[in-house]
Amino acid sequence: MSAVSVERLSKRFGAKRALRGVSLAAAPGEMVALIGASGSGKSTLIRHIAGLDHGDNDGPCCIDVFGRRLLDNGRLSREARAIRRDVGVIFQQFNLVGRLPVLTNVLVGCLGRIPGWRGTLGIFDGDEKGEAMRALGRVGIAETARQRSSTLSGGQQQRAAIARALVQGAKLLLADEPIASLDPASARRVMETLSEINRSDGITVLVSLHQVEYARRYCPRTIALRAGEVAYDGPSTALTPAFLRDLYGEASEELILPDADLVVAPPARAPLMRPALAAV
């Protein structure tokens, strides 16, 4: 059983085709990078896997999460709400409530499993607060628990968002360009946190990245989108500058950090294409 399976997903926004029959799969416990130049469809794909959008109903397409149907022929299934409890989403802009303490923001991860009246009133018990504190400790910012979220640095806010997903109990973690607005040191810390959670907890991680160097260092496998289609699915070590130029042309320049210190030696040669639906 795949952690996530996407088959023939298409999405149109007016005259623009954001996704064109995308098919892919990730096994439980994988950490997979999703790369592509601006407008390639990365964020749109992640929103669909998160159950936040529906696909075009112009042919057979579906999304399964741990064997349960999330999207069927472009429409969200009746199980979508229950499935979303197993899917944590990390956004580029953190999605924290700035005026609330960090601990309260992390406790939001409990809302899917506590009575609605408690969530509305913001009432959490000692066990839930203890779980949230342990999650903050795992991501290295336990000392910020009582601070307003707005006082944290960007990297700290992103780690608080990861702690929230841990409290949620997510089995699949979707990160949509989580380091795009961070400085290099904070970006590395966030990626190391995601990698540690993937290794220690076996949580499947699909992370959209705009900087290929981080994909090569932290993700064994990369899926590359180009114009809404899967153009490559294979080892991240194949993502050399020459390979990316062949794949994206001039647009490859926005994916490469010229002075990056994260480079991993690539193999002598890698195949340009793999079938769109990856074997898992």
Side-chain angles (χ1 to χ4, degrees):
M1 177 180 65
S2 298
V4 59
S5 174
V6 179
E7 294 188 20
R8 299 182 295 278
L9 177 64
S10 295
K11 182 66 176 183
R12 182 190 298 273
F13 295 104
K16 177 178 172 58
R17 292 290 297 271
L19 297 173
R20 304 168 181 263
V22 169
S23 294
L24 57 89
E30 272 199 288
M31 185 160 176
V32 183
L34 185 66
I35 69 165
S38 299
S40 61
K42 302 187 302 296
S43 294
T44 301
L45 176 58
I46 283 180
R47 285 186 58 83
H48 281 76
I49 297 173
L52 300 176
D53 208 344
H54 58 83
D56 293 340
N57 190 15
D58 58 358
C61 68
C62 65
I63 298 176
D64 291 341
V65 176
F66 293 103
R68 295 191 292 174
R69 184 59 47 92
L70 173 69
L71 192 77
D72 196 8
N73 288 330
R75 297 186 177 186
L76 292 171
S77 73
R78 293 181 180 178
E79 286 193 273
R81 178 172 294 184
I83 293 171
R84 280 197 291 255
R85 294 173 188 161
D86 291 334
V87 181
V89 186
I90 309 298
F91 297 95
Q92 180 178 341
Q93 298 303 323
F94 321 131
N95 280 21
L96 303 179
V97 181
R99 61 183 175 83
L100 293 179
V102 173
L103 183 63
T104 303
N105 274 280
V106 174
L107 283 164
V108 167
C110 297
L111 295 183
R113 62 176 190 271
I114 65 175
W117 67 269
R118 281 215 286 130
T120 300
L121 296 175
I123 298 174
F124 303 96
D125 63 28
D127 289 342
E128 290 154 358
K129 291 178 181 179
E131 183 181 5
M133 284 300 303
R134 287 190 293 275
L136 284 169
R138 284 197 65 184
V139 301
I141 56 170
E143 72 283 357
T144 69
R146 303 297 176 184
Q147 293 180 223
R148 288 170 56 123
S149 295
S150 60
T151 66
L152 270 59
S153 69
Q156 289 174 321
Q157 290 190 57
Q158 197 60 285
R159 282 185 277 157
I162 295 171
R164 181 178 57 197
L166 289 174
V167 169
Q168 178 185 335
K171 299 177 182 176
L172 170 64
L173 193 55
L174 307 174
D176 187 10
E177 298 205 18
I179 61 173
S181 59
L182 304 181
D183 62 83
S186 296
R188 285 194 294 270
R189 187 65 183 270
V190 167
M191 289 302 298
E192 286 165 3
T193 300
L194 290 172
S195 181
E196 188 276 330
I197 290 169
N198 167 257
R199 291 192 309 270
S200 299
D201 297 14
I203 294 174
T204 306
V205 178
L206 178 62
V207 54
S208 168
L209 294 168
H210 210 68
Q211 303 94 335
V212 169
E213 285 75 14
Y214 292 98
R216 288 205 298 257
R217 172 141 186 189
Y218 295 103
C219 304
R221 174 183 165 205
T222 291
I223 297 170
L225 292 183
R226 180 180 59 195
E229 298 179 303
V230 175
Y232 173 78
D233 183 347
S236 299
T237 50
L239 303 176
T240 63
F243 177 83
L244 291 169
R245 282 193 293 271
D246 287 342
L247 199 60
Y248 292 110
E250 292 183 0
S252 67
E253 295 178 5
E254 67 182 80
L255 301 174
I256 302 170
L257 297 176
D259 298 319
D261 60 354
L262 300 174
V263 177
V264 176
R269 184 174 180 82
L272 179 63
M273 301 283 285
R274 278 183 56 182
L277 183 59
V280 297

